Amino acid sequence: MSEPQSLAEVRAHIDALDTELTALLARRQELVCRAADFKTDEATVRAPGRVEQVVAAARARAEAAGLAPEVAEAVWRAMIAAFIDLELAEFSRDR
């Protein structure tokens, strides 16, 4: 990817990354919905210990990649909350 030379090019690069992120999030969603099949109750869906483990790993990966860990944490917490809501709906529908 060449270095952007204008705001329009920066935005085009961001849009391309957003397309890739959307595809990755769709794959993550498939796994989240599949995980609901293995959960026994809402507590196992919410899994606060697992949330903290995932956030800590995201912060560590962020630091190694040059991403501000606080940005990674905010993004991961929002993403996890949205997927927990989705998984709870999936869990409830299957019961």
Side-chain angles (χ1 to χ4, degrees):
M1 187 179 296
S2 62
E3 198 62 31
Q5 301 299 312
S6 68
L7 180 56
E9 288 183 13
V10 169
R11 288 179 175 163
H13 286 236
I14 289 170
D15 291 347
L17 286 172
D18 286 349
T19 298
E20 291 178 46
L21 288 169
T22 300
L24 290 171
L25 288 170
R27 286 177 45 204
R28 192 179 200 282
Q29 177 179 294
E30 289 175 17
L31 292 169
V32 166
C33 290
R34 181 70 177 111
D37 295 339
F38 299 98
K39 306 289 177 83
T40 56
D41 56 30
E42 284 192 19
T44 58
V45 172
R46 294 185 188 284
R50 172 66 176 152
V51 170
E52 294 310 313
Q53 179 186 29
V54 171
V55 169
R59 286 183 65 93
R61 286 191 306 268
E63 232 174 298
L67 171 63
E70 55 276 3
V71 170
E73 180 170 349
V75 169
W76 257 258
R77 285 195 186 279
M79 176 184 65
I80 289 167
F83 278 126
I84 286 173
D85 288 345
L86 179 70
E87 190 176 355
L88 283 169
E90 192 77 17
F91 181 78
S92 295
R93 185 175 23 254
D94 292 345
R95 302 295 177 248

